[in-house]
């Protein structure tokens, strides 16, 4: 690359920085940076933010006190629901996280439905996705349980579910796509208009609407994006060089942290635990470190282990780095519920805990400001690795007996079956 091209790239980056600062200042003046969901690190939590909020608004007996107003507006917005006649809106039942039983991948049954709406004759299922990956046979399992249900697959932009989730189901026949970008945004805007004279409810919906717009790039940041796009079009060659190298630049920092941490943990636990992963690149979504007890390796073919996730910054737990017990395919869910009923369940994870803070930042590797801080102060990386290691050791000290108990019980159950 010539010095001239490097100079052009540097000039382009400087101009982008000026635009970014301008719109940041505008957002500050308007108060758009204040959002209760963002402050509580709940922006991308599918269960406790999005499913909870949507489910509560849809519920005719919800705490909003507006009866079926929001549910009717939802039906009005979702095209595939319009053919449903004589739906009993006033007596409809809305359930968030409905349990269908243990997952059976052979029969394709079981699991948790994010949101289900029932009126006695009709059933509408909403599978809610922000950033979480699809589970195996997920949509098939729900459709097998409620064969006549209208199945809605909700995500940010209308992407189709993966083949492993939908199986033989067909879009616009067996299930329908709805989006946060249009359907949920439009529904919230209509709902907001219905409660203009009720300040608490009005402002709560407005806050959530702003969050949806943020997640789908429809806030003032979208205006900034348009201006930056125009700037990039003026020098596409330099823009491409920047784009091509952005993720690999991030990966330099991410891999140093992940690789350094894994080496530390192997030094401490290598005699009792074996370490493994689906992939060893920190930039991959749901990038992780998994480790399980060697004494139970032959019994552990379905995998139950300790895990740290995500080193890419894109995963569960609002992207914060966390530690927990991973129960693949929920094979041990019944044992956890019986022997450790207080342990929180998050999909395949049990008892997850955020690693916490470092300096003035959450340990969230999707946070560009945090990554910039680590790049500018590389001497902080060993300190960060030590903080994560200490938290991991503290967690294992508290939960190793839990892991041994579950694996021992599973071994006894298997022995009685033969």
């Amino acid at each position: 690359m010539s010095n001239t091209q490097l100079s052009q790239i540097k000039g382009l980056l400087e101009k982008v920085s000026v635009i970014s600062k301008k719109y940041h200042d505008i957002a500050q003046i308007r108060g758009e940076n204040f959002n209760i969901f963002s402050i509580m690190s709940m922006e991308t939590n599918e269960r406790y933010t999005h499913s909870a909020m949507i489910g509560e608004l849809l519920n005719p007996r919800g705490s909003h006190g507006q009866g079926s107003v929001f549910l009717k507006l939802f039906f009005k917005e979702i095209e595939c629901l319009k053919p449903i006649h004589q739906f009993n809106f006033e007596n409809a039942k809305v359930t968030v996280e409905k349990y269908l039983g243990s997952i059976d991948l052979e029969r394709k049954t079981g699991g948790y439905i994010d949101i289900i709406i029932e009126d006695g004759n009709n059933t509408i299922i909403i599978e809610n996705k922000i950033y979480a990956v699809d589970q195996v046979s997920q949509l098939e399992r729900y459709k097998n349980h409620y064969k006549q249900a209208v199945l809605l697959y909700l995500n940010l932009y209308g992407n189709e579910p993966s083949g492993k989730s939908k199986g033989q189901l067909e879009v616009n026949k067996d299930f329908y796509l709805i989006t946060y970008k249009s359907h949920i945004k439009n529904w919230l805007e209509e709902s907001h208009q219905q409660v203009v004279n009720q300040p608490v409810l009005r402002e709560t919906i407005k806050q959530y609407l702003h969050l949806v717009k943020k997640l789908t790039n429809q806030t003032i940041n979208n205006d900034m994006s348009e201006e930056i796009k125009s700037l990039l079009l003026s020098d596409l060659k330099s823009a491409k060089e920047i784009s091509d190298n952005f993720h690999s630049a991030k990966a330099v920092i991410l891999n140093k942290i992940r690789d350094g941490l894994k080496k530390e943990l192997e030094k401490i636990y290598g005699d009792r635990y074996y370490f493994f992963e689906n992939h060893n690149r920190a930039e991959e979504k749901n990038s992780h470190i998994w480790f399980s007890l060697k004494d139970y390796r032959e019994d552990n073919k379905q995998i139950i282990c300790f895990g740290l996730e995500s080193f890419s910054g894109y995963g569960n737990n609002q992207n914060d780095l966390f530690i927990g017990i991973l129960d693949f395919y929920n094979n041990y869910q019944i044992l956890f519920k019986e022997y450790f009923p207080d342990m929180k369940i998050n999909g395949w994870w049990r008892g997850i805990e955020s690693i916490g803070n470092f300096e003035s930042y959450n340990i969230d590797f999707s946070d560009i400001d945090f990554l910039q801080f680590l790049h500018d102060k590389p001497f902080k990386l060993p300190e960060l690795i030590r903080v994560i290691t200490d938290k991991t050791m503290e967690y294992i000290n508290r939960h190793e007996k839990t892991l041994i108990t579950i694996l021992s019980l599973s071994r006894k159950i298997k022995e009685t079956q033969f």
Side-chain angles (χ1 to χ4, degrees):
M1 185 181 294
S2 67
N3 290 333
T4 300
Q5 190 172 356
L6 282 173
S7 179
Q8 289 174 331
I9 291 172
K10 183 179 179 181
L12 188 62
L13 286 171
E14 288 174 350
K15 291 176 182 177
V16 169
S17 180
V18 170
I19 293 172
S20 178
K21 185 180 185 308
K22 179 182 75 173
Y23 281 98
H24 174 77
D25 292 344
I26 293 172
Q28 286 281 83
I29 293 169
R30 292 185 180 181
E32 289 192 7
N33 292 329
F34 181 87
N35 186 280
I36 190 64
F37 300 103
S38 303
I39 292 168
M40 297 176 67
S41 298
M42 297 287 285
E43 284 190 352
T44 59
N45 190 307
E46 289 166 2
R47 179 178 181 181
Y48 295 106
T49 297
H50 296 280
S51 290
M53 189 70 180
I54 292 170
E56 185 68 12
L57 289 174
L58 291 175
N59 188 355
R61 291 178 288 279
S63 56
H64 50 72
Q66 304 305 300
S68 62
V69 169
F70 304 132
L71 181 58
K72 289 176 179 177
L73 288 173
F74 185 78
F75 269 65
K76 181 181 176 182
E77 177 61 34
I78 309 301
E79 193 69 28
C80 65
L81 298 182
K82 292 179 180 178
I84 300 177
H85 300 295
Q86 298 181 334
F87 189 88
N88 192 340
F89 290 101
E90 306 307 324
N91 295 313
K93 179 182 178 182
V94 177
T95 307
V96 176
E97 287 290 303
K98 182 166 184 177
Y99 183 55
L100 302 182
S102 297
I103 293 174
D104 187 326
L105 293 180
E106 290 186 8
R107 293 185 176 85
K108 296 180 180 178
T109 57
Y112 284 90
I113 291 176
D114 291 329
I115 303 172
I116 185 167
I117 309 166
E118 304 166 281
D119 75 338
N121 295 310
N122 303 282
T123 302
I124 295 98
I125 294 170
I126 303 175
E127 173 55 27
N128 184 21
K129 295 289 184 188
I130 301 294
Y131 295 127
V133 297
D134 292 328
Q135 296 178 24
V136 176
S137 301
Q138 192 169 23
L139 294 186
E140 284 187 300
R141 287 187 270 114
Y142 303 158
K143 196 68 173 177
N144 285 339
H145 196 97
Y146 292 99
K147 298 188 186 307
Q148 302 304 316
V150 177
L151 178 55
L152 306 177
Y153 186 78
L154 169 62
N155 59 78
L156 294 177
Y157 298 108
N159 298 324
E160 284 200 29
S162 64
K164 72 176 183 180
S165 173
K166 66 182 179 181
Q168 300 301 312
L169 300 184
E170 297 180 26
V171 66
N172 295 326
K173 178 182 177 184
D174 302 305
F175 68 93
Y176 301 87
L177 302 175
I178 61 173
T179 72
Y180 279 95
K181 183 177 182 179
S182 59
H183 298 100
I184 298 301
K185 179 186 76 71
N186 294 343
W187 170 60
L188 290 171
E189 287 175 342
E190 289 290 327
S191 299
H192 183 260
Q193 291 300 313
Q194 295 294 318
V195 293
V196 291
N197 295 321
Q198 300 181 56
V200 174
L201 185 55
R202 178 192 68 216
E203 293 308 310
T204 302
I205 293 176
K206 187 175 182 179
Q207 285 269 301
Y208 184 56
L209 172 60
H210 183 71
L211 172 59
V212 168
K213 287 183 175 181
K214 179 180 179 181
L215 291 174
T216 54
N217 296 312
Q218 298 180 82
T219 61
I220 191 171
N221 287 329
N222 195 46
D223 296 330
M224 178 181 71
S225 296
E226 291 302 316
E227 190 167 341
I228 291 175
K229 285 176 189 176
S230 297
L231 176 62
L232 296 181
L233 285 170
S234 69
D235 188 357
L236 284 173
K237 189 173 182 179
S238 295
K240 184 178 186 302
E241 289 294 338
I242 294 169
S243 175
D244 289 346
N245 288 281
F246 174 69
H247 291 292
S248 59
K250 283 176 55 181
V252 171
I253 303 171
L254 298 173
N255 281 296
K256 281 181 181 178
I257 296 167
R258 183 188 177 280
D259 294 346
L261 177 62
K262 187 177 179 183
K263 287 179 182 178
E264 285 298 310
L265 293 175
E266 285 178 329
K267 287 179 187 177
I268 299 168
Y269 294 107
D271 60 331
R272 292 188 293 126
Y273 286 82
Y274 64 96
F275 287 72
F276 61 104
E277 63 260 309
N278 280 344
H279 45 71
N280 59 11
R281 296 190 306 168
E283 61 267 34
E284 297 285 343
K285 185 176 181 181
N286 297 306
S287 173
H288 52 263
I289 297 174
W290 294 336
F291 49 108
S292 194
L293 286 159
K294 289 180 177 180
D295 289 346
Y296 293 87
R297 189 163 188 170
E298 292 303 315
D299 303 323
N300 196 18
K301 292 179 181 178
Q302 296 300 323
I303 304 179
I304 181 168
C305 62
F306 288 118
L308 285 152
E309 186 184 303
S310 162
F311 291 91
S312 68
Y314 298 101
N316 298 295
N317 200 42
Q318 299 90 59
N319 297 330
D320 287 352
L321 184 69
F322 68 88
I323 185 169
I325 298 175
L326 182 60
D327 175 10
F328 267 77
Y329 308 119
N330 290 319
N331 284 302
Y332 300 87
Q333 186 173 125
I334 293 174
L335 292 178
F336 272 101
K337 286 187 173 182
E338 183 175 352
Y339 289 91
F340 303 99
D342 294 332
M343 184 166 272
K344 197 173 183 180
I345 294 176
N346 299 74
W348 292 350
W349 289 93
R350 309 287 177 262
I352 65 173
E353 295 179 10
S354 293
I355 295 299
N357 300 328
F358 181 71
E359 299 288 324
S360 59
Y361 298 92
N362 283 340
I363 301 178
D364 171 1
F365 297 123
S366 68
D367 184 347
I368 296 300
D369 291 333
F370 183 40
L371 295 181
Q372 187 70 61
F373 167 80
L374 295 175
H375 173 266
D376 294 343
K377 299 184 178 181
F379 58 89
K380 289 288 185 180
L381 288 181
E383 187 179 338
L384 171 63
I385 290 170
R386 172 47 53 190
V387 167
I388 301 172
T389 300
D390 289 346
K391 176 71 175 183
T392 301
M393 292 173 64
E394 189 268 333
Y395 185 90
I396 291 173
N397 287 339
R398 286 188 287 115
H399 292 292
E400 188 173 61
K401 287 184 179 179
T402 301
L403 190 64
I404 293 172
T405 298
I406 296 295
L407 287 167
S408 299
L409 288 167
S410 174
R411 178 179 283 181
K412 289 179 182 178
I413 292 170
K414 288 175 183 177
E415 288 173 351
T416 60
Q417 292 175 342
F418 296 97

